[in-house]
Amino acid sequence: MTSQILEELNERLAMPGLTFVAGPGDLPVVQIENEHATAAIALQGAHVLSFQPSGQGDVLFMSRQAIFAPGTPIRGGIPVCWPWFGKNASDPSLPQHGFVRTMPWEVRAAGSGEEGTYVEMALTDNDATRALWPHPFELRLIVTVGRTLRLELVAINTGGQAVTLTSALHTYFAIGDASTISIHGLEGLTYLDKLEDYAQKHQDGPITISDETDRIYLDTAGTCTIEDPKLGRRIIIAKSGSRSTVVWNPWKTRAREMRDFAPDEYQTMVCVETTNAATDVVTVGPGDAHRLIVVISAEQA
Ligand code: BG6
């Protein structure tokens, strides 16, 4: 099955530096390699697995216990959470973080432009999505790999009624040591602490991590940076279409509870997620579109 899918995709869209290959668990993966970077994107979930700028380590974290299987979320990279972030507000029995991260996406186009090599993937409503969320939609994710990694998630309301959405480009970053990094750009803002029943708190200074952390920062339109002294690297996260940012690290106890995450890996990852979450709910009118964009780059000291 996978080999037939790959053959069709390679015939239609492969080009120098962009091919479709069988990835881990035999999942179809887009492999991109150009003068600036290499990247891999699973078609399940349109999930970016890896982004490695030339001469650097991977900017994205992937758990060595990640499960690669049809219908299972992948622990690391950039899961696309849509059309809701976290638990579904009206029915907590629905899948956490929506359903598109575990569904197969189609590939619409691939090519290269000024910003790098790109691939456009799409998912439209079908029986499986309508069983979970009764709205017509077209979702596109355009991933561009160059000096930067750019993701543009376009949510088009193809139905006749306005819909409300929350979502995330749930990015797992690879870091040297969680207890020595600092995250800048959210100073002075209010956040909701998910570990204390969404208590509203104030962020003084840059974020440092020394325990389980699960926060939704509000009014966050600006750029964030992760300063990583151990790897001698700065990661820069610029975005648009998002006014909230989630910062997550499971730390020791939660790490041990996750079967797809190794017990020590809380030390080498942090999620800084470009979201529409909490009060940052998006309403998309009939025929309208919402664009959620993140542009990630890394500077080595
Ligand atoms: C974060 C949430 O975005 O994702 C956390 O804020 C959650 O509460 C984490 O634990 C991981 O979610 P999941 O469903 O991928 O295990």
Side-chain angles (χ1 to χ4, degrees):
M1 181 65 175
T2 301
S3 61
Q4 264 174 310
I5 295 171
L6 296 174
E7 203 176 311
E8 184 276 318
L9 287 167
N10 277 318
E11 245 169 59
R12 184 160 57 92
L13 295 164
M15 54 179 224
L18 186 148
T19 48
F20 297 89
V21 300
D26 213 27
L27 296 179
V29 161
V30 190
Q31 193 74 51
I32 293 176
E33 182 163 8
N34 59 32
E35 56 178 316
H36 301 299
T38 60
I41 306 145
L43 299 189
Q44 170 165 297
H47 191 134
V48 180
L49 304 173
S50 138
F51 169 61
Q52 190 164 4
S54 308
Q56 287 191 36
D58 212 310
V59 175
L60 302 178
F61 163 88
M62 178 58 64
S63 171
R64 58 182 188 272
Q65 286 182 203
I67 299 164
F68 296 92
T72 304
I74 300 168
R75 181 70 64 201
I78 315 184
V80 176
C81 305
W82 193 95
W84 59 84
F85 171 80
K87 288 214 184 328
N88 182 282
S90 46
D91 183 355
S93 72
L94 289 173
Q96 154 124 318
H97 291 326
F99 47 80
V100 305
R101 65 174 170 164
T102 53
M103 287 187 173
W105 292 45
E106 58 172 300
V107 184
R108 288 272 174 89
S112 62
E114 255 171 50
E115 285 180 54
T117 311
Y118 67 85
V119 59
E120 177 176 334
M121 293 153 289
L123 181 68
T124 49
D125 61 292
N126 55 47
D127 289 347
T129 70
R130 285 188 294 268
L132 298 162
W133 194 65
H135 301 284
F137 68 87
E138 181 178 317
L139 195 57
R140 298 182 196 151
L141 184 73
I142 303 125
V143 178
T144 308
V145 178
R147 280 183 210 284
T148 63
L149 173 68
R150 183 179 191 276
L151 273 71
E152 177 171 352
L153 182 69
V154 188
I156 305 160
N157 179 355
T158 53
Q161 286 169 2
V163 292
T164 54
L165 307 167
T166 53
S167 60
L169 296 168
H170 188 310
T171 313
Y172 288 76
F173 289 103
I175 52 171
D177 177 3
S179 41
T180 61
I181 61 150
S182 52
I183 303 169
H184 302 252
L186 302 169
E187 295 86 343
L189 296 179
T190 298
Y191 65 88
L192 306 178
D193 192 338
K194 288 181 78 175
L195 303 174
E196 289 185 28
D197 199 21
Y198 294 80
Q200 197 163 313
K201 298 187 181 173
H202 180 82
Q203 179 64 42
D204 295 317
I207 301 169
T208 52
I209 294 181
S210 55
D211 205 344
E212 184 178 355
T213 304
D214 195 355
R215 303 173 180 173
I216 306 176
Y217 285 82
L218 305 175
D219 289 319
T220 66
T223 295
C224 278
T225 58
I226 303 173
E227 301 289 342
D228 183 342
K230 186 155 179 202
L231 293 186
R233 181 158 82 171
R234 170 183 297 140
I235 294 173
I236 301 147
I237 308 151
K239 63 172 183 166
S240 67
S242 155
R243 298 196 58 82
S244 52
T245 300
V246 170
V247 177
W248 179 60
N249 182 296
W251 211 248
K252 287 177 207 178
T253 309
R254 276 269 287 135
R256 273 190 241 112
E257 292 163 4
M258 294 192 287
R259 68 183 178 129
D260 58 352
F261 193 83
D264 59 339
E265 286 182 327
Y266 71 92
Q267 292 167 320
T268 52
M269 60 70 72
V270 67
C271 287
V272 178
E273 307 168 30
T274 297
T275 62
N276 294 121
T279 51
D280 181 21
V281 176
V282 168
T283 301
V284 188
D288 288 347
H290 174 67
R291 288 182 150 73
L292 180 64
I293 299 173
V294 67
V295 182
I296 295 163
S297 53
E299 291 170 358
Q300 205 75 48

